[in-house]
Amino acid sequence: QKEVEQDPGPLSVPEGAIVSLNCTYSNSAFQYFMWYRQYSRKGPELLMYTYSSGNKEDGRFTAQVDKSSKYISLFIRDSQPSDSATYLCAMNRGSQGNLIFGKGTKLSVKP
Amino acid sequence: GAGVSQSPRYKVAKRGQDVALRCDPISGHVSLFWYQQALGQGPEFLTYFQNEAQLDKSGLPSDRFFAERPEGSVSTLKIQRTQQEDSAVYLCASSRSGTSGPYEQYFGPGTRLTVT
């Protein structure tokens, strides 16, 4: 079993929909949680960065962390065709710097 | 300011050739990471530098892989005697701090290596 599990999709939604992306993890030592967006043939772009359980909002994006369930989510409100990309969750233990990534979920937002 | 840059963006190598991939991190960033991303997968950690010190190389898949960051800025990932299974995108990321946080990592565009 991988340390971080993420449904690869693909996920297709109409423009304006609310999108929910999720990851589960097995290692309770993870403290820092990130969401990256990756367009085709580009590097991952940092979207959200959170520490500890709770919600963090930035514009149309909300990141949620539930450490008791080892479950993290990213919500995208009023989705746009430009949101079409692969979304990667990532996490680390803090003092150990390398990130552990999920497989990525491919999202397509149809106009 | 400028982000992380990588060169070349694309590299085709014949099996058995040596390749060198370059990463220029964000100016002043202490930490530098190399990751390997296979098609349809998330990036996987290869190695980590804090300034010029290589603190973790546990992800390097074989002794054909070697990385250096001699002056604590630019880094080079070298792959000797390339094999077909080395075909992947090699990503470099940098982070402002060392072990005391914050831990946001910023990625370059990657080098797509194809071994024929």
Side-chain angles (χ1 to χ4, degrees):
Chain A
Q1 184 192 5
K2 296 194 77 145
E3 282 190 285
V4 179
E5 298 281 357
Q6 184 176 12
D7 186 338
L11 181 62
S12 183
V13 301
E15 184 175 353
I18 296 175
V19 176
S20 171
L21 303 165
N22 312 291
C23 288
T24 58
Y25 62 96
S26 57
N27 192 333
S28 57
F30 288 139
Q31 298 182 57
Y32 297 87
F33 304 91
M34 291 139 228
W35 286 94
Y36 285 85
R37 178 174 63 196
Q38 187 173 28
Y39 291 112
S40 182
R41 297 187 176 264
K42 303 285 187 187
E45 173 195 5
L46 182 63
L47 280 179
M48 301 287 283
Y49 172 82
T50 54
Y51 170 70
S52 79
S53 288
N55 290 1
K56 183 176 181 179
E57 192 172 314
D58 184 1
R60 296 185 295 111
F61 298 92
T62 300
Q64 212 170 64
V65 174
D66 182 349
K67 282 190 170 180
S68 62
S69 302
K70 298 191 181 68
Y71 188 86
I72 69 170
S73 301
L74 178 72
F75 297 96
I76 308 174
R77 288 183 299 282
D78 187 25
S79 55
Q80 302 295 309
S82 58
D83 295 327
S84 299
T86 295
Y87 290 80
L88 297 153
C89 64
M91 50 201 76
N92 69 7
R93 301 176 189 86
S95 59
Q96 185 171 338
N98 62 287
L99 296 175
I100 311 298
F101 281 86
K103 204 171 181 176
T105 299
K106 188 167 184 177
L107 171 67
S108 177
V109 182
K110 304 291 187 188
Chain B
V4 178
S5 61
Q6 293 186 245
S7 60
R9 290 293 315 279
Y10 302 91
K11 177 71 180 176
V12 179
K14 285 187 169 34
R15 190 159 57 98
Q17 277 185 333
D18 297 350
V19 298
L21 313 180
R22 178 187 166 106
C23 172
D24 278 90
I26 293 171
S27 178
H29 276 200
V30 168
S31 296
L32 185 146
F33 302 83
W34 284 98
Y35 293 84
Q36 181 189 61
Q37 187 174 24
L39 192 63
Q41 303 294 318
E44 293 202 351
F45 169 73
L46 293 176
T47 188
Y48 160 50
F49 290 86
Q50 193 176 122
N51 296 305
E52 68 279 3
Q54 189 174 21
L55 297 189
D56 187 350
K57 52 182 181 179
S58 62
L60 295 175
S62 79
D63 59 8
R64 296 185 296 103
F65 286 71
F66 171 75
E68 60 184 6
R69 194 186 184 198
E71 295 177 2
S73 179
V74 170
S75 177
T76 304
L77 176 68
K78 297 179 180 176
I79 309 173
Q80 296 177 322
R81 303 180 306 281
T82 50
Q83 304 293 315
Q84 280 196 311
E85 62 263 28
D86 300 335
S87 295
V89 175
Y90 291 85
L91 294 163
C92 176
S94 70
S95 173
R96 185 157 51 93
S97 67
T99 54
S100 60
Y103 300 105
E104 296 101 316
Q105 294 183 22
Y106 298 91
F107 282 80
T111 294
R112 182 176 297 270
L113 173 65
T114 304
V115 181
T116 60

